[in-house]
Amino acid sequence: MTGGLTLDPSKARFQMLGFLPVTADVTFAAEGGTTGTYKDGVLTTTSKMSARFPTFTVFGFLPVGGGDACRTSKPSGITLTSAAGFDPKAGGALTGVYELAPIDGCGALTGVLGSSLAGPGNAITMTLTPKPSAQTPSSPKKTS
């Protein structure tokens, strides 16, 4: 099966230089469609996503990078899997681990931010929400 995947903006938290707490605002853009399989009550999807980082802050308030040009250098592959018993009509949780591509264009600290953020072992948890089905509007009642 194939379909589209839209991820809401999110926040990433990590440590720069091994000790400085950094928060990054993250937006994702799909690169192509999402493919998936549903077998024995388990949904598995695969997507390619690019990430943008509008802001990086240290201690939650001190800006240290980001901006319109701050993004991954190439799309990252993300595989998400549900627990057994997943119902596609109801939606539910999907989890995965992915490798984030190196980042570019994030300001003077791009290298330091990238070395702390990019690479394998990035966890993702999301809730799949089914697209609402199109409903036929009810016909007006005829009155006499």
Side-chain angles (χ1 to χ4, degrees), residues 22-40:
V22 176
T23 302
D25 290 322
V26 185
T27 60
F28 294 95
E31 303 285 335
T34 295
T35 60
T37 59
Y38 181 68
K39 184 176 179 182
D40 299 327

Side-chain angles (χ1 to χ4, degrees), residues 10-82:
S10 185
K11 292 195 181 288
R13 290 173 180 78
F14 61 97
Q15 291 187 337
M16 183 171 66
L17 302 174
F19 68 96
L20 290 172
V22 176
T23 302
D25 290 322
V26 185
T27 60
F28 294 95
E31 303 285 335
T34 295
T35 60
T37 59
Y38 181 68
K39 184 176 179 182
D40 299 327
V42 175
L43 176 66
T44 302
T45 68
T46 303
S47 306
K48 291 239 183 237
M49 305 293 274
S50 292
R52 294 186 180 268
F53 302 92
T55 58
F56 288 94
T57 57
V58 173
F59 300 115
F61 68 90
L62 181 63
V64 292
D68 293 337
C70 183
R71 63 179 170 262
T72 51
S73 59
K74 63 181 182 178
S76 299
I78 299 176
T79 299
L80 298 165
T81 305
S82 73

Side-chain angles (χ1 to χ4, degrees), residues 113-138:
L113 292 165
S115 67
S116 300
L117 183 63
N122 293 288
I124 183 169
T125 300
M126 63 172 279
T127 301
L128 181 69
T129 306
K131 190 174 185 178
S133 61
Q135 295 188 7
T136 307
S138 59

